[in-house]
Amino acid sequence: MLKKNNKLITIFILAFFMFSIVGSAGAAQFSDVDPATDATPAIYKLAALGILEGYPDGTFAPDNTITRAEFAKIAVVTAGLERVASGMTGVPTQFNDVAADHWASGWINVAAAQDFVQGDGDGIFRPQDQITQAEVVTVLLRILGYNDNLSGSWPANYIAKAASLGVLDDITFIANKAATRGEVAIIGSEVLEQNIVVYEASNNLFREARKTIDGDTRSYILLEDKFESEIETDQLVTDVSLDEGIAFEFNSSGDFIELTETAIIANAPSWNQVKERFVDYVTNDDGDIVYISVQDYGTVKASLDDIELNTRENELSINNRNYRLADEVVLLPEDEETTLEAIFVDRELRGNLLPTGTSLQDFIDLLDYDVIPAIDSLEFVLNDDGRIALIKAWAWESDEAGIVDNVNLNRERIQYKNSDVRTTNLADEDYAILINGLQAELEDIQENDVVYVTDLYDVTLLVVMSAQVPGELESIRVSDGDVTEVRVNGTWFDVAINGFILSADAGSDFYNAKADVDQIDGKYEILGEDVVLLLNPEQKVVGIISDVDAVARNFGIIDGTAAVLDGNQVVKGIKIFRADGSVAAYPLKDDSILDEPDFELLKKNWFVKYSINSDGELELEFKEGKIYPIFIDERFEELELPKGIEFEDIEDRFVHGDEWPLDELNLKADTDLNVITVNNGDAFDLDGKHKTINGSFDISNTTIFNLHRDDDGDIQIVDVEDFLDSINDDSVNAFLVVDGNNIEYIVLYDEEIVGTTGNIAMVVDTGRDIGGNYAYLLLPHGTVKYYVDSGNIEKDEIITFTLKSGEIFINESKEAEKWDINGPYEIKSISGNIIEVITAFNADGNVESTRNIVVNSDTIYYDNENSPIILEKDDIARGDIIKVYREVGETAVAVVELVDEEVLPIR
């Protein structure tokens, strides 16, 4: 089992904070709310409280205006009177233009009864008119207790009071301008945190209302009064627990506060990006968090060599810039106030690794002298004063990394390729998964991903990296015989702590090379060879795959945009469908392409050459300012161009101008030799130059992309055999990418070529519906329903099939000749790739004869004793009853099936 990583080192320097007091249920994140705008925290706060709602399509439309009827509802909900409004629906209103059956009659009735709204004074309310900023301010201040006795005339009196309270600080206020939803959110959020007031007619003044809360008689704010909620500001999240839902610890208090299931997290993509950040949060009347907003005061990342202690007390120089520590700190775990420079607390050992009160100088000295584990980097979290409030250090060692072989979703198990690391079993674990820093699912983990298993957050946390860097291993740097840096494609990459894991056979097996120069330049001679680098979360090399064709890995298909983590910020990145069939998302080094007017239209199906730099950023190669090398999509006539964009505006963005590159090629196929013959075919070399090719080409090692997407919207890698079978001397819409006399890529669009031939599956169930005959097949990724185009299929049989256009094709005559089926047998022993089975018993019940069954890494194991599931080899054992399926002419069996049957009779 993969060893859990316990090298997370964290230092906390916690400043004391003053907090003011102020929930309800939350809502989903909105697709059109920019995290960088001032309105974002306010929008999510009011959405969490149920005051504002989004639209069914997942948008919020912050720039849309609001009608007076709509704002009547907002006002009543803000005042906590929505239950009253439900009882007033259908009741005649005091306004001539609001009928009793108007959708907002109940809201308007309550708002008018509470004197929040008054209409125009002539019995007119104008429910469909847009509400102005001045009207918004007036209504919300009336909810606080202010009224027309404010000094001055309307609306200047209400505007002046709002300005004095700071309610208008974050908007450009224009009294008669129609208020947008975003502006209403900002004003409403500010009003929620203002004190309730009462008017004293005798003194003609407004004073703060007071009441007894938890034995304390004091003033109170609107949120506290109407929602029985509290708000805390500038709190540092020092720990996260996933034991029962999600809970946060603040300021190392030792107490955790849970998030409701519908809680909204603003300015961060998920819970893991909240840890060790400053936040504001709102709790409901149960004390659970309904809304939390991350406050980004900045972080500084550095290596130990970039840090110096200054002569000035409590000050560091980081990357040649001075930073002061927080004035007041809290000792962990005793919570004693101190003026010590820093506190070291190991998050696993809770302070037992070093004494509480170790100074920052002592800590740095210990790192220098290797007294505590080496680290990859230090990160300093700043508070709102720009002072260091938290220091954390991470160590991602190569000997704690697993290189993924396969993922069994049914058994929730990950198997690795490392010689010293085998499996992670999650079936009986509470677990969470982060891929490239963002929350993900088990099914998102792919072959050759790098996995670290930790027990942070009170659950099993898998930290997964999918970043790969293909290219030539040009040179290395060595210190004391160990490789410390490698250069690929002109970029230097640091090597991870304890070296890297090496595969010398194109990724089939890995073992620890200990970063020994003799391993690289001696035994395996991989300098100057094509390799693929595997990176850890700090973008350091944790694995190297040699004996690969890096050319095939430098190209891929853009598969759209995705939210990705770039440092601590979530940015829009690009997904690449890679030549090995996997998909990875990367931030862009130059994200200006995302602003191109045609990008949203043409973002999918670009065939590109790319590289990954040492910061884990995607670099797309360009030629003469145009996208490199070729653009592909289904058909231009099928595209809907955005308003204002014409084809002529787009075509010169591509290398080949107005030439449509998805050409009709005349090909002939030799299926026995994996050869195609091309007659005057259009092709492009690796530099994007057009050329015409003729002749015969072996495509055994060619990567074939099919841009016709499956039912899940995924691009397909096509099997060479399928491609050759589909040609049949006919033309095909495709283009070729060549390297010298080799065809490296074929990119095609064909609805009839999907998946691969020779798929093996167990038939779980069959039937017929309106779509025709269907079968449920048990495949490695789960049970899938397919319609049957040809062939008879029966429940519980093992079949091989071809999948085209989402339908199953079976050649029954070949299927009958394909399998040599034997058993059932009882397993006598298992040793390596040999399963010894009993073929006969004598009259006394003793073993009379046995037979050796050969298995290999491609053998599939099914359990058909009860409900069919896929097993691992380790799941079968002595005494199990099995049937075996061997393809005629092969040595190893293709399928081992556990069955609930009687063994062969006694001789």
Side-chain angles (χ1 to χ4, degrees):
M1 177 177 286
L2 186 62
K3 184 172 60 175
K4 290 187 176 180
N5 174 8
N6 62 353
K7 294 295 192 296
L8 173 62
I9 307 164
T10 308
I11 311 163
F12 293 104
I13 311 166
L14 303 179
F16 285 117
F17 304 102
M18 298 298 293
F19 28 84
S20 55
I21 309 291
V22 251
S24 215
Q29 301 284 312
F30 301 118
S31 60
D32 60 344
V33 174
D34 184 351
T37 64
D38 291 338
T40 298
I43 288 170
Y44 284 124
K45 182 194 294 185
L46 268 64
L49 294 166
I51 297 173
L52 292 177
E53 299 175 346
Y55 294 103
D57 64 355
T59 62
F60 181 80
D63 295 327
N64 283 8
T65 56
I66 294 177
T67 67
R68 287 164 58 87
E70 290 171 334
F71 193 74
K73 176 182 177 181
I74 292 171
V76 172
V77 175
T78 302
L81 299 171
E82 58 266 40
R83 291 183 180 178
V84 179
S86 64
M88 297 291 287
T89 300
V91 176
T93 73
Q94 67 186 61
F95 302 109
N96 299 329
D97 56 349
V98 181
D101 60 356
H102 190 284
W103 73 267
S105 62
W107 306 107
I108 295 171
N109 278 330
V110 174
Q114 296 292 321
D115 206 28
F116 300 155
V117 299
Q118 298 174 353
D120 291 346
D122 54 0
I124 300 299
F125 184 74
R126 295 181 288 112
Q128 297 308 117
D129 282 7
Q130 296 172 337
I131 194 163
T132 66
Q133 290 185 354
E135 290 168 339
V136 168
V137 167
T138 299
V139 172
L140 292 180
L141 260 62
R142 284 172 177 167
I143 295 172
L144 289 175
Y146 295 100
N147 57 36
D148 294 348
N149 289 299
L150 284 167
S151 177
S153 59
W154 187 87
N157 51 354
Y158 282 92
I159 295 171
K161 173 51 69 175
S164 69
L165 294 173
V167 168
L168 308 180
D169 288 352
D170 294 326
I171 69 166
T172 301
F173 187 80
I174 303 174
N176 292 325
K177 175 182 176 293
T180 66
R181 288 164 57 83
E183 291 165 346
V184 167
I186 293 173
I187 298 171
S189 176
E190 292 293 337
V191 167
L192 287 170
E193 299 179 32
Q194 299 300 319
N195 286 320
I196 298 292
V197 299
V198 293
Y199 175 64
E200 288 186 351
S202 59
N203 296 317
N204 191 28
L205 57 80
F206 296 90
R207 63 170 177 81
E208 293 181 354
R210 297 173 66 82
K211 66 180 178 180
T212 302
I213 302 175
D214 297 330
D216 181 22
T217 301
R218 55 177 175 80
S219 59
Y220 51 95
I221 63 175
L222 178 59
L223 262 179
E224 191 175 10
D225 181 40
K226 304 302 183 183
F227 292 85
E228 297 181 2
S229 301
E230 294 184 352
I231 183 169
E232 305 283 1
T233 60
D234 274 344
Q235 303 297 294
L236 184 60
V237 179
T238 49
D239 205 354
V240 179
S241 172
L242 302 179
D243 191 20
E244 295 181 3
I246 302 173
F248 293 133
E249 176 197 47
F250 298 96
N251 306 330
S252 299
S253 64
D255 297 324
F256 286 83
I257 303 178
E258 293 186 3
L259 272 70
T260 63
E261 291 184 359
T262 54
I264 290 178
I265 300 175
N267 298 337
S270 62
W271 53 266
N272 64 296
Q273 294 302 312
V274 177
K275 187 173 186 289
E276 292 139 7
R277 307 285 294 277
F278 286 97
V279 301
D280 298 343
Y281 66 90
V282 175
T283 57
N284 61 18
D285 54 357
D286 293 326
D288 297 331
I289 295 173
V290 297
Y291 163 80
I292 190 165
S293 174
V294 174
Q295 308 302 312
D296 188 8
Y297 300 132
T299 60
V300 182
K301 202 168 187 178
S303 67
L304 188 62
D305 294 335
D306 299 323
I307 304 168
E308 294 181 3
L309 278 177
N310 291 348
T311 55
R312 186 178 180 183
E313 186 180 7
N314 292 342
E315 186 172 89
L316 288 176
S317 174
I318 306 171
N319 296 324
N320 297 317
R321 181 175 176 178
N322 294 332
Y323 294 89
R324 297 212 68 192
L325 305 182
D327 291 335
E328 295 179 308
V329 296
V330 177
L331 278 174
L332 295 177
E334 291 84 3
D335 292 338
E336 296 176 359
E337 190 172 345
T338 181
T339 56
L340 289 175
E341 293 173 322
I343 303 142
F344 175 80
V345 177
D346 184 272
R347 300 309 294 164
E348 300 295 325
L349 303 180
R350 298 296 297 179
N352 294 328
L353 189 58
L354 291 176
T356 302
T358 298
S359 71
L360 186 58
Q361 177 65 68
D362 292 340
F363 173 71
I364 293 177
D365 288 345
L366 290 171
L367 287 174
D368 272 334
Y369 292 109
D370 296 326
V371 176
I372 59 178
I375 60 171
D376 280 311
S377 65
L378 288 162
E379 186 171 350
F380 301 83
V381 178
L382 307 181
N383 64 16
D384 59 344
D385 294 324
R387 296 192 175 194
I388 296 171
L390 178 149
I391 307 173
K392 61 179 178 180
W394 290 90
W396 302 100
E397 302 184 25
S398 60
D399 55 2
E400 294 183 350
I403 310 299
V404 174
D405 184 4
N406 61 77
V407 179
N408 188 319
L409 297 179
N410 288 326
R411 291 184 171 264
E412 298 180 283
R413 174 186 294 171
I414 304 173
Q415 196 156 358
Y416 303 100
K417 297 180 178 181
N418 311 40
S419 58
D420 56 345
V421 176
R422 283 306 176 199
T423 60
T424 295
N425 295 303
L426 300 168
D428 297 323
E429 302 276 352
D430 292 326
Y431 64 89
I433 297 171
L434 301 176
I435 298 181
N436 301 329
L438 297 179
Q439 198 164 354
E441 303 295 333
L442 187 61
E443 63 189 22
D444 299 322
I445 298 176
Q446 304 176 83
E447 183 180 4
N448 290 334
D449 281 355
V450 177
V451 176
Y452 290 88
V453 181
T454 83
D455 53 9
L456 297 175
Y457 313 134
D458 300 322
V459 299
T460 297
L461 176 68
L462 276 64
V463 180
V464 183
M465 290 296 296
S466 64
Q468 298 181 7
V469 181
E472 179 186 341
L473 182 60
E474 298 165 340
S475 56
I476 60 176
R477 288 176 177 155
V478 180
S479 176
D480 297 328
D482 291 336
V483 178
T484 57
E485 294 176 82
V486 299
R487 189 173 74 175
V488 170
N489 296 337
T491 300
W492 284 101
F493 294 83
D494 290 332
V495 169
I497 298 170
N498 293 338
F500 53 80
I501 307 165
L502 177 65
S503 171
D505 55 5
S508 295
D509 296 293
F510 284 80
Y511 52 91
N512 194 342
K514 299 188 183 302
D516 192 326
V517 66
D518 293 335
Q519 303 283 346
I520 288 182
D521 201 23
K523 181 176 180 180
Y524 298 107
E525 297 182 345
I526 62 175
L527 268 176
E529 300 296 320
D530 287 337
V531 300
V532 174
L533 305 182
L534 307 180
L535 306 182
N536 69 13
E538 289 295 327
Q539 308 301 326
K540 295 185 178 182
V541 178
V542 70
I544 296 180
I545 304 175
S546 66
D547 191 26
V548 298
D549 181 5
V551 170
R553 294 172 180 263
N554 275 330
F555 289 82
I557 306 290
I558 290 184
D559 198 27
T561 58
V564 295
L565 200 63
D566 189 7
N568 285 323
Q569 299 298 315
V570 176
V571 299
K572 183 185 287 187
I574 285 183
K575 292 190 294 184
I576 297 289
F577 184 89
R578 301 185 291 205
D580 62 358
S582 62
V583 179
Y586 302 95
L588 280 165
K589 179 179 181 181
D590 178 10
D591 60 2
S592 61
I593 186 176
L594 297 175
D595 298 325
E596 292 290 340
D598 53 308
F599 181 78
E600 288 303 317
L601 169 70
L602 305 176
K603 60 189 176 184
K604 285 193 174 182
N605 294 356
W606 286 351
F607 179 79
V608 294
K609 185 176 183 180
Y610 69 92
S611 60
I612 309 298
N613 64 25
S614 58
D615 294 324
E617 298 169 325
L618 180 73
E619 296 186 15
L620 297 177
E621 296 200 15
F622 292 82
K623 178 182 179 182
E624 299 174 357
K626 300 176 181 180
I627 299 164
Y628 178 93
I630 301 164
F631 159 76
I632 299 297
D633 213 309
E634 300 174 12
R635 297 288 190 276
F636 259 126
E637 58 266 25
E638 297 176 5
L639 297 176
E640 294 183 7
L641 299 179
K643 185 180 294 186
I645 296 181
E646 303 295 335
F647 172 70
E648 292 75 15
D649 300 326
I650 298 174
E651 59 181 348
D652 63 357
R653 288 283 294 127
F654 312 117
V655 171
H656 307 293
D658 60 358
E659 179 179 354
W660 177 244
L662 198 60
D663 291 323
E664 194 172 86
L665 298 178
N666 293 314
L667 306 175
K668 293 185 178 181
D670 185 331
T671 56
D672 294 329
L673 298 177
N674 287 348
V675 167
I676 61 171
T677 300
V678 185
N679 182 25
N680 291 327
D682 283 327
F684 307 93
D685 64 19
L686 298 181
D687 293 324
K689 295 179 180 178
H690 177 268
K691 61 192 307 183
T692 300
I693 63 172
N694 291 278
S696 297
F697 300 85
D698 184 347
I699 62 169
S700 299
N701 298 316
T702 298
T703 300
I704 305 173
F705 294 105
N706 189 355
L707 298 184
H708 174 69
R709 296 170 182 265
D710 62 16
D711 292 339
D712 295 325
D714 296 328
I715 300 170
Q716 300 292 306
I717 294 290
V718 176
D719 184 80
V720 170
E721 182 181 349
D722 281 340
F723 178 69
L724 293 170
D725 287 342
S726 71
I727 295 175
N728 296 325
D729 294 339
D730 291 331
S731 61
V732 60
N733 286 320
F735 75 88
L736 311 175
V737 179
V738 298
D739 181 16
N741 293 322
N742 297 317
I743 297 178
E744 295 290 343
Y745 300 97
I746 299 174
V747 181
L748 56 93
Y749 183 88
D750 194 317
E751 297 181 3
E752 296 300 319
I753 308 176
V754 181
T756 60
T757 56
N759 295 291
I760 298 175
M762 171 179 282
V763 181
V764 176
D765 197 7
T766 61
R768 182 177 179 83
D769 60 20
I770 193 171
N773 293 326
Y774 65 82
Y776 282 93
L777 304 185
L778 181 58
L779 299 170
H781 56 282
T783 301
V784 182
K785 179 182 179 180
Y786 291 109
Y787 285 98
V788 182
D789 184 273
S790 65
N792 292 318
I793 299 178
E794 295 182 5
K795 183 179 178 181
D796 292 337
E797 71 174 331
I798 305 294
I799 62 169
T800 57
F801 64 93
T802 299
L803 183 64
K804 293 184 178 181
S805 300
E807 295 186 342
I808 297 170
F809 291 73
I810 297 177
N811 187 323
E812 292 185 34
S813 61
K814 290 185 178 180
E815 190 72 11
E817 302 169 356
K818 185 179 185 67
W819 295 111
D820 178 13
I821 305 173
N822 292 277
Y825 300 128
E826 180 180 330
I827 296 177
K828 184 175 184 292
S829 66
I830 302 175
S831 177
N833 288 336
I834 303 298
I835 301 176
E836 184 184 11
V837 298
I838 301 171
T839 56
F841 295 87
N842 61 25
D844 297 327
N846 297 319
V847 175
E848 182 170 293
S849 62
T850 63
R851 172 185 175 186
N852 287 337
I853 305 295
V854 179
V855 297
N856 60 22
S857 59
D858 294 324
T859 301
I860 301 172
Y861 302 86
Y862 290 109
D863 182 351
N864 202 20
E865 290 182 296
N866 298 300
S867 297
I869 59 173
I870 291 180
L871 302 175
E872 301 290 340
K873 180 186 173 186
D874 293 343
D875 295 322
I876 63 173
R878 178 179 178 179
D880 286 341
I881 309 301
I882 63 172
K883 292 172 68 174
V884 294
Y885 297 72
R886 182 177 60 84
E887 294 185 61
V888 174
E890 298 292 333
T891 301
V893 298
V895 175
V896 174
E897 179 187 12
L898 267 68
V899 295
D900 185 16
E901 298 182 24
E902 296 293 331
V903 296
L904 292 177
I906 298 173
R907 275 189 179 177

